[in-house]
Amino acid sequence: MTEALFSISFKELCQVEGIESELIVEIVEYGIVTPLDKNTDARPYDQWLFDTGTIHWIKKALRLRQDLEIDWLAIAFVIDLMRQKETLQKENELYRRQLKRFTKINPASD
Amino acid sequence: MEFKDYYKILGVEPDVDAKAIKTAYRKLARKYHPDMNLQAGAEEKFKEISEAYQVLKNKKLRSEFDELRQYQGKAQHGFQPPPGWSASHHSSTRGSEAFNGEFSEFFNSIFGGRTQSFDSSEYGQPRSGQRGQDIEVELPIFLEETLNDCHKSVEFIIPADRYTQTQAYKKHLKVKVPQGVMDGERIRLKGQGKPGHNGAMAGDLYLHVRVVPHPLFDVHGHNISITIPLAPWEAALGTRVSVPTLAGKINLTIPPDSQTGDKLRVKGKGLKTKKQSGDMYAVVKVTMPKETSATGKRLWQELAASEDFNPRQEWSA
């Protein structure tokens, strides 16, 4: 049985894509990802812990930088909009399902 | 081997300057980048565009490509590099989840391992001891399963590896999914991704949790909601109904004069984590019978005559 983890350490994050630690600090400074302990100034960065979703966004950010040759500020904007879009899509799905329950006699049947 | 005309792929003439190549690439990248375009085929198309740009943006590689292009014009069947061409046997990997590290056979045989980017860690031959690739798969899970720790079987594919010449293969894992897992979370299984090279660490496996939509319940954070259909007289007079929860049925008292949309909170019947328990909200929906009997009609008529209720009062102002 493999242990399920919900976090990743700063050191592990550096190993994943062979990213320099300074680059991760920069990505955090741009707000592209945030450590779990939000009070980042209080801790040295090598003790930061991230949730596992962080990897997904860091990979996306690196890919955008590599493929589209855009700067970190623009990437921070793009990632922020992508996240907002994801949240809105989820909310939209939820509201559609709820609306169906109110407008159909037997919504569970379709 | 098929010859790839990188100019055609970028939609530019062979004599354009570097700036035009960049502009063409940017336009196409904007259109086909897999983070922007989720349609089938977009990723493949982007790979092709990216490959063309890697070569044409580099002066030296571009002039080599131009030479080959001339030579290709004279070839009769298929494409073979000219005799004595210094083809590298290196091929490319790229640590990106979207591309799984494959440029075309044409690219690898002509330019493999020689572009500027390919010298970096993202491209080129694997560095000695390069960590294996991470893999992400979706993990569908039923709402009921999130109430307790549950055991799931996961099947996924470890992609083929050029360097070790291993074919893609299926891998099975048993995973203990902890109580309270939420839709959209990613579970990390350390070292269960693609094996590393030269004894390096394997990549990780990420399970992207997808809670399957429930036929009865909707999820709002740790709370859930259920719609309770009521007959008009039940809503008017109040009643007691048996309501399903995620763990068995409960009896719920509906107060008189309930309206569609009214919410009744049932404490502690929502989703559970180790730290907290959410609540369940029962949402009232007044439902008319499809047909009304003769007696029913008479009683409605009596009600209509005796009641002074205008549901469209807001319109009369």
Side-chain angles (χ1 to χ4, degrees):
Chain A
M1 190 76 62
T2 319
E3 194 195 351
L5 301 171
F6 287 87
S7 63
I8 185 162
S9 70
F10 185 87
K11 198 176 152 204
E12 287 172 315
L13 207 51
C14 295
Q15 286 168 346
V16 168
E17 296 273 314
I19 319 168
E20 297 288 325
S21 55
E22 290 79 15
L23 186 57
I24 295 183
V25 174
E26 206 178 340
I27 288 175
V28 169
E29 280 170 357
Y30 277 109
I32 294 169
V33 294
T34 316
L36 282 171
D37 179 0
K38 289 199 177 79
N39 189 12
T40 47
D41 297 338
R43 275 172 173 241
Y45 62 72
D46 56 358
Q47 285 177 28
W48 287 349
L49 210 60
F50 296 86
D51 78 49
T52 39
T54 299
I55 287 281
H56 169 76
W57 293 109
I58 286 195
K59 283 184 177 175
K60 243 185 216 307
L62 292 172
R63 198 162 68 214
L64 287 168
R65 177 138 167 105
Q66 171 81 45
D67 295 340
L68 303 183
E69 300 175 336
I70 49 178
D71 64 30
W72 287 117
L73 190 59
I75 290 167
F77 270 110
V78 173
I79 297 277
D80 190 37
L81 289 173
M82 280 179 167
R83 282 187 154 136
Q84 282 186 40
K85 187 183 153 209
E86 232 180 66
T87 309
L88 290 173
Q89 270 173 339
K90 264 194 187 174
E91 271 180 21
N92 197 18
E93 274 170 36
L94 174 65
Y95 292 141
R96 272 171 195 271
R97 267 203 304 277
Q98 282 189 303
L99 190 63
K100 244 185 193 175
R101 297 192 197 280
F102 274 86
T103 52
K104 296 213 170 169
I105 301 293
N106 188 5
S109 66
D110 61 22
Chain B
M1 177 170 38
E2 187 198 348
F3 177 81
K4 284 189 176 269
D5 189 339
Y6 291 143
Y7 291 109
K8 260 193 194 159
I9 289 170
L10 290 187
V12 293
E13 293 298 323
D15 55 354
V16 296
D17 60 8
K19 199 177 163 218
I21 284 169
K22 197 173 196 170
T23 309
Y25 169 73
R26 282 184 171 170
K27 271 190 188 159
L28 292 169
R30 161 86 189 73
K31 193 170 171 188
Y32 293 106
H33 196 275
D35 284 324
M36 325 268 179
N37 188 337
L38 298 176
Q39 281 176 356
E43 191 181 320
E44 278 307 307
K45 180 87 181 150
F46 180 74
K47 247 194 257 180
E48 220 177 24
I49 296 160
S50 181
E51 179 178 317
Y53 184 57
Q54 291 293 330
V55 173
L56 297 186
K57 77 172 179 183
N58 180 314
K59 249 189 198 170
K60 190 167 169 279
L61 295 182
R62 186 179 172 185
S63 70
E64 283 180 27
F65 173 74
D66 286 343
E67 251 179 69
L68 279 175
R69 200 167 165 275
Q70 297 275 328
Y71 173 82
Q72 152 68 10
K74 295 167 198 150
Q76 300 285 314
H77 307 286
F79 173 77
Q80 285 300 321
W85 184 268
S86 58
S88 158
H89 295 292
H90 301 164
S91 52
S92 63
T93 54
R94 178 176 167 153
S96 144
E97 56 188 350
F99 305 105
N100 296 324
E102 296 295 314
F103 270 0
S104 71
E105 187 194 350
F106 171 74
F107 180 94
N108 288 328
S109 70
I110 308 297
F111 304 108
R114 289 193 295 140
T115 70
Q116 195 184 2
S117 317
F118 276 61
D119 295 334
S120 79
S121 61
E122 292 252 330
Y123 291 93
Q125 243 192 334
R127 289 166 297 165
S128 62
Q130 189 177 347
R131 182 182 176 275
Q133 189 188 328
D134 290 341
I135 294 173
E136 180 168 309
V137 291
E138 299 229 321
L139 178 71
I141 186 162
F142 290 111
L143 205 48
E144 289 86 345
E145 291 178 314
T146 70
L147 296 180
N148 297 299
D149 291 349
C150 72
H151 296 98
K152 301 285 277 183
S153 281
V154 185
E155 188 182 287
F156 58 102
I157 293 183
I158 301 277
D161 195 307
R162 278 166 179 260
Y163 311 106
T164 54
Q165 307 221 321
T166 358
Q167 297 290 314
Y169 60 96
K170 267 189 196 168
K171 199 171 161 182
H172 295 262
L173 272 186
K174 280 221 168 213
V175 185
K176 182 174 152 193
V177 180
Q179 179 194 47
V181 78
M182 306 275 279
D183 185 58
E185 276 188 313
R186 286 180 167 84
I187 298 175
R188 175 173 165 236
L189 302 172
K190 208 171 167 179
Q192 297 294 345
K194 196 171 173 181
H197 292 117
N198 306 325
M201 276 194 302
D204 297 338
L205 174 70
Y206 285 87
L207 303 175
H208 191 196
V209 176
R210 288 299 189 197
V211 175
V212 179
H214 196 280
L216 296 179
F217 303 104
D218 292 317
V219 180
H220 317 261
H222 288 106
N223 299 330
I224 57 169
S225 66
I226 184 168
T227 310
I228 308 186
L230 292 178
W233 45 89
E234 287 177 327
L237 305 172
T239 185
R240 216 169 146 72
V241 283
S242 168
V243 179
T245 72
L246 282 172
K249 292 196 167 186
I250 55 158
N251 285 319
L252 192 64
T253 305
I254 311 288
D257 298 321
S258 287
Q259 293 275 9
T260 288
D262 280 358
K263 284 180 184 169
L264 303 163
R265 176 167 167 244
V266 186
K267 214 178 160 202
K269 292 289 179 192
L271 303 182
K272 287 181 174 56
T273 64
K274 295 258 184 303
K275 289 181 195 153
Q276 66 180 114
S277 246
D279 301 330
M280 182 176 94
Y281 287 88
V283 189
V284 169
K285 173 191 175 186
V286 180
T287 309
M288 288 298 293
K290 271 191 177 166
E291 283 174 29
T292 311
S293 66
T295 318
K297 250 183 202 154
R298 186 173 49 76
L299 291 170
W300 282 123
Q301 278 160 356
E302 270 181 43
L303 202 56
S306 78
E307 292 304 302
D308 182 22
F309 170 57
N310 178 10
R312 294 167 295 281
Q313 192 145 22
E314 281 177 13
W315 294 2
S316 52

